[in-house]
Amino acid sequence: MKKILSCTATALLLILVSCESLDVAPLNIIKDEDLLTNEVGLKTYMANIYRNLPIEDFYYRNGNGFGRHWEQFTNLSGISGDMLGPFWGNSQENGFGYWDGAYQWIRQINHFIEVLPDVAKGKVADGVINHYLGEAHFCRGFFYFALVKRYGGVPIVKTEQKYPEQSLEELQVKRDTEKDCWDFIGEEFSEAARLMNETAERGRASRYTAYALLSRAMLYAGSIARYSSLNFVEGEAYSAGLVGIDPSEANAYYQKAYDAAVAVEGHADLYKKKFSAAYDDRIANYVEIFLDKDSPENLLIREYSLTSNTAHSYDATLTARYMTADGLSRAYPNYELMRIFDGGNIKVVDDNGYPIRFNQRGDIRNGVEPRLRAIVYFPDDELRGLSFDIQRGIYESFDRKAADEAATPINNRAGLHTTNEKAAMWNGRRMIGECGTGSSNADGDMTRSGFYVRKYIDYNKPKDDCGLYRSTTHWIAVRYAEVLLNRAEAAFELGKKDDALNCINQIRERAGAQPADAAVFLLDPPDVWNIVDKKVVENNGRDIIRNERRKELAFENHYWWDIRRWRIADKVFDQTKFNALYPYYVYDEDKYIFLDEEQAYLNNYFTFNKRFYYEGLPGGELNKNPNLWPNNPNH
């Protein structure tokens, strides 16, 4: 009888982590016949795999992997519209080596798939066996998805590797082509959908979760096929098909993505429990999407708890310091992201270029899309009975044009009083707000963009309970809005523009946004990248879909991968700086103005090199297995 080791074991190439000695059996071995012959054991086995799925959640940061830590929420996190920070300093965090962790769990899944039918036969109902096998295929596809989107082609291992039963040569598996890997991922999610039940308990996958992931994966593959040949780095790996896919394959992948997304229709729905025509209701409805565990939109969530020591620190590290028990606020939405929402390009200067005067800082919220209000905290918004008191400084008077002001270093402007100290006063008024803005690295608890992230913040959580590792808000790994966006993109690429437009407008209606302009949407897109000032400009349906993904999925860790699969990351991040919208008090007028400026302290330019479209294979793996060569281009 085969055995499952509680510590990770074997396979020199892909999953070599020994239990001190391969010749000595560990004391805590659990036999298959004990674990896989009852539903409690099966659930325990799969729960361990789910717990280690590479979901890019509250704990994930590119460069630090999937480990449990809170420091990932840096002031750079908002630069791509994601929660994760893809840059550190001014260089791309490329290649943190997510490899062993994936193959260790792939080995466990391979073992499970191989032995379950025989071990559980006659002891567990056939339908239950099939569902668990479906979950195993789903999880194996999930792990491979995480590998392939980083590295391109990787070794496909479908059977349990055993050491020392197998020779070193047998364990040194070659890389498969990127196309073969995407095909395998598609097969895994398709098999999962065939085997799994239509419904599942919260936190686990169902048939329609598998279809949703199939739509995501095949959309990714279609993008690689269509766009990687237009923007790539030459190299032996590219020539061999280890990275990149022939453009002729694109439509087949888009069709699979489209069909999978259509299969989910009727089995999940957009969240509208609080939706109505009222502006405030639409804001509240969108906020609740990310707090309601029983949302009909959720297709897969990850839960956290204090008792299991899995609680995270999102509430402590994403809002202003004085609204929390401890922690530092380190993620701020940049103004570039906000500008793509309806009304988000806030008018702060008049037709003559002079700053508009506002009676209250919160007046700039008027007229912006409800979805944006639900994603971002504006100045004067409230949380836990406290106001987002955001101010950059005080002008004694202000009578010059904004363009002239922007050209003058802030510390040299006549009549401007600012500081990094929250309590500092000028003529009886505080110079900066309780929430900032900060202007140095030490000011980690104050916004540097003029705004804070609202999505996923638990507004019901008391301030005293908003400490490090005290948050239990669930993370949504898959939701129906993404499936609609996948469908829209695949449909558009296949020429089904009316269907794509319908999907986009379903999302916009729920968001409280204006319907997409049908005349613009139906235009054929050009072959060249439609990017101006580092933004996708909406001149056709493809542009509209891409911007809609960025808006709807902001801070959910999709955009970073989207601009990579579209092969536009090197255009978006090309000596790029990011802006803030700073409120100032004008003393002699008792009014506020807002200036569009570069973010304080964030003085770096950000550039994405084309070679980063694929990470380099980990050096340790290349040294252990010569069959993994050639490495990816320029690595």
Side-chain angles (χ1 to χ4, degrees):
M1 178 64 66
K2 294 185 180 73
K3 298 177 179 179
I4 301 171
L5 281 65
S6 62
C7 57
T8 310
T10 78
L12 181 61
L13 162 64
L14 303 173
I15 22 100
L16 180 56
V17 179
S18 72
C19 301
E20 297 186 356
S21 170
L22 292 172
D23 298 322
V24 179
L27 297 176
N28 52 351
I29 285 177
I30 302 174
K31 295 180 179 180
D32 291 336
E33 60 192 6
D34 297 328
L35 192 61
L36 306 184
T37 55
N38 60 86
E39 286 204 56
V40 173
L42 288 168
K43 185 175 180 179
T44 300
Y45 194 109
M46 287 308 302
N48 205 26
I49 292 171
Y50 274 106
R51 192 176 301 116
N52 288 278
L53 280 183
I55 295 172
E56 294 166 11
D57 61 357
F58 297 112
Y59 286 129
Y60 175 77
R61 188 183 79 190
N62 191 21
N64 279 10
F66 299 93
R68 186 170 186 258
H69 43 72
W70 66 269
E71 296 87 349
Q72 74 273 38
F73 304 124
T74 71
N75 63 297
L76 307 180
S77 299
I79 65 177
S80 68
D82 282 348
M83 188 180 68
L84 64 91
F87 290 88
W88 185 258
N90 62 353
S91 62
Q92 201 262 339
E93 279 277 332
N94 193 64
F96 65 84
Y98 180 67
W99 185 279
D100 280 348
Y103 278 109
Q104 289 166 11
W105 289 103
I106 289 169
R107 178 182 182 274
Q108 296 277 24
I109 295 169
N110 289 343
H111 175 85
F112 184 85
I113 291 173
E114 287 179 28
V115 305
L116 178 62
D118 292 335
V119 173
K121 187 69 174 178
K123 301 179 179 66
V124 180
D126 289 346
V128 174
I129 293 173
N130 284 340
H131 179 76
Y132 277 95
L133 285 172
E135 285 191 283
H137 283 284
F138 171 84
C139 292
R140 188 164 68 176
F142 206 111
F143 280 108
Y144 270 103
F145 195 167
L147 288 168
V148 177
K149 72 180 182 180
R150 290 172 169 82
Y151 301 113
V154 297
I156 299 173
V157 184
K158 301 180 184 179
T159 59
E160 181 186 6
Q161 292 189 308
K162 304 178 182 70
Y163 183 84
E165 291 92 333
Q166 291 178 276
S167 67
L168 180 60
E169 289 73 21
E170 290 177 292
L171 296 174
Q172 290 177 327
V173 185
K174 294 181 179 180
R175 290 178 72 181
D176 288 278
T177 66
E178 181 165 5
K179 179 186 184 307
D180 286 343
C181 288
W182 287 116
D183 289 345
F184 175 66
I185 292 168
E187 291 165 4
E188 287 293 275
F189 290 137
S190 296
E191 182 68 356
R194 185 184 72 85
L195 291 169
M196 281 197 291
N197 297 333
E198 291 197 3
T199 60
E201 62 183 83
R202 195 169 62 203
R204 299 179 71 158
S206 71
R207 176 177 302 167
Y208 300 105
T209 314
Y211 278 128
L213 261 294
L214 180 60
S215 77
R216 181 191 292 181
M218 295 300 95
L219 186 67
Y220 205 109
S223 303
I224 297 300
R226 181 143 293 169
Y227 301 113
S228 66
S229 61
L230 301 177
N231 196 13
F232 64 93
V233 178
E234 274 284 9
E236 190 177 350
Y238 184 83
S239 300
L242 299 176
V243 294
I245 304 175
D246 190 276
S248 65
E249 303 287 346
N251 277 1
Y253 287 119
Y254 284 128
Q255 188 65 54
K256 290 177 182 178
Y258 179 80
D259 291 343
V262 169
V264 183
E265 186 175 11
H267 303 281
D269 203 358
L270 294 177
Y271 187 90
K272 292 186 177 181
K273 291 185 180 181
K274 294 190 175 184
F275 186 81
S276 79
Y279 180 79
D280 288 345
D281 287 349
R282 295 189 182 204
I283 297 172
N285 182 77
Y286 200 87
V287 167
E288 292 300 322
I289 294 170
F290 305 94
L291 301 178
D292 186 346
K293 288 184 179 181
D294 296 315
S295 164
E297 191 160 340
N298 295 344
L299 286 158
L300 180 65
I301 68 171
R302 172 172 279 174
E303 297 187 271
Y304 308 83
S305 73
L306 296 172
T307 55
S308 65
N309 198 34
T310 58
H312 54 85
S313 305
Y314 193 78
D315 291 293
T317 54
L318 265 290
T319 47
R321 174 66 179 86
Y322 87 128
M323 297 174 172
T324 67
D326 54 27
L328 292 174
S329 306
R330 298 192 173 202
Y332 319 111
N334 62 59
Y335 192 28
E336 283 79 1
L337 170 64
M338 298 175 62
R339 282 171 168 163
I340 68 175
F341 290 82
D342 289 0
N345 194 15
I346 300 163
K347 188 172 183 180
V348 293
V349 296
D350 62 22
D351 294 340
N352 296 315
Y354 285 86
I356 296 170
R357 270 50 174 177
F358 295 88
N359 292 322
Q360 303 293 334
R361 292 169 298 195
D363 291 346
I364 64 165
R365 301 170 297 195
N366 299 336
V368 304
E369 180 183 313
R371 175 172 52 179
L372 178 56
R373 288 289 312 276
I375 290 172
V376 171
Y377 278 120
F378 282 72
D380 291 350
D381 276 342
E382 292 190 355
L383 174 65
R384 303 181 187 114
L386 299 169
S387 172
F388 281 91
D389 176 22
I390 300 170
Q391 185 170 298
R392 184 77 174 96
I394 296 176
Y395 278 99
E396 296 179 38
S397 63
F398 193 99
D399 59 3
R400 289 176 295 169
K401 288 186 177 181
D404 294 335
E405 284 299 313
T408 306
I410 191 166
N411 291 329
N412 296 331
R413 295 178 190 172
L416 174 63
H417 303 273
T418 187
T419 179
N420 295 333
E421 299 177 11
K422 297 177 186 177
M425 307 287 288
W426 183 83
N427 269 10
R429 296 188 68 101
R430 289 178 52 176
M431 282 186 268
I432 65 169
E434 184 68 45
C435 304
T437 62
S439 60
S440 74
N441 193 29
D443 303 326
D445 61 338
M446 294 187 286
T447 178
R448 297 190 183 96
S449 73
F451 306 94
Y452 284 86
V453 176
R454 184 175 185 179
K455 183 179 280 190
Y456 274 117
I457 294 297
D458 185 356
Y459 62 89
N460 290 312
K461 198 172 184 65
K463 172 184 174 179
D464 292 343
D465 201 25
C466 293
L468 298 181
Y469 304 114
R470 298 291 301 173
S471 294
T472 57
T473 305
H474 60 284
W475 177 263
I476 307 173
V478 192
R479 65 185 180 99
Y480 186 58
E482 184 214 337
V483 177
L484 280 176
L485 289 164
N486 295 346
R487 175 174 171 173
E489 185 176 342
F492 188 88
E493 297 290 349
L494 292 168
K496 303 175 188 290
K497 295 181 180 179
D498 288 337
D499 188 75
L501 179 60
N502 177 55
C503 292
I504 292 300
N505 282 336
Q506 286 183 57
I507 293 169
R508 288 198 170 189
E509 189 233 358
R510 195 269 301 276
Q514 294 297 313
D517 187 326
V520 174
F521 192 93
L522 298 176
L523 294 173
D524 290 329
D527 292 331
V528 296
W529 309 118
N530 197 24
I531 298 175
V532 178
D533 294 332
K534 320 309 181 207
K535 297 182 293 183
V536 175
V537 180
E538 295 187 356
N539 289 334
N540 56 74
R542 180 182 290 156
D543 302 336
I544 291 171
I545 290 167
R546 290 182 176 186
N547 272 349
E548 198 63 36
R549 285 188 68 91
R550 189 180 182 190
K551 288 184 282 189
E552 178 65 24
L553 303 176
F555 304 105
E556 296 180 53
N557 299 344
H558 287 276
Y559 185 66
W560 176 237
W561 297 108
D562 284 342
I563 61 175
R564 286 169 64 127
R565 66 181 174 88
W566 295 329
R567 293 299 191 259
I568 62 172
D570 60 300
K571 305 295 189 297
V572 173
F573 295 117
D574 180 17
Q575 290 293 293
T576 301
K577 282 192 173 184
F578 296 95
N579 278 32
L581 188 62
Y582 287 141
Y584 294 88
Y585 179 70
V586 182
Y587 186 81
D588 65 350
E589 299 179 46
D590 190 25
K591 301 285 185 180
Y592 294 92
I593 60 173
F594 287 82
L595 301 183
D596 181 355
E597 303 174 326
E598 289 183 357
Q599 288 189 24
Y601 172 68
L602 190 58
N603 297 318
N604 294 329
Y605 289 95
F606 297 93
T607 296
F608 183 100
N609 191 296
K610 285 185 181 183
R611 69 188 179 93
F612 294 147
Y613 282 121
Y614 292 100
E615 296 184 12
L617 272 64
E621 302 303 324
L622 291 165
N623 292 335
K624 287 189 289 184
N625 179 14
N627 289 327
L628 293 179
W629 291 92
N631 202 350
N632 291 334
N634 282 354
H635 285 284

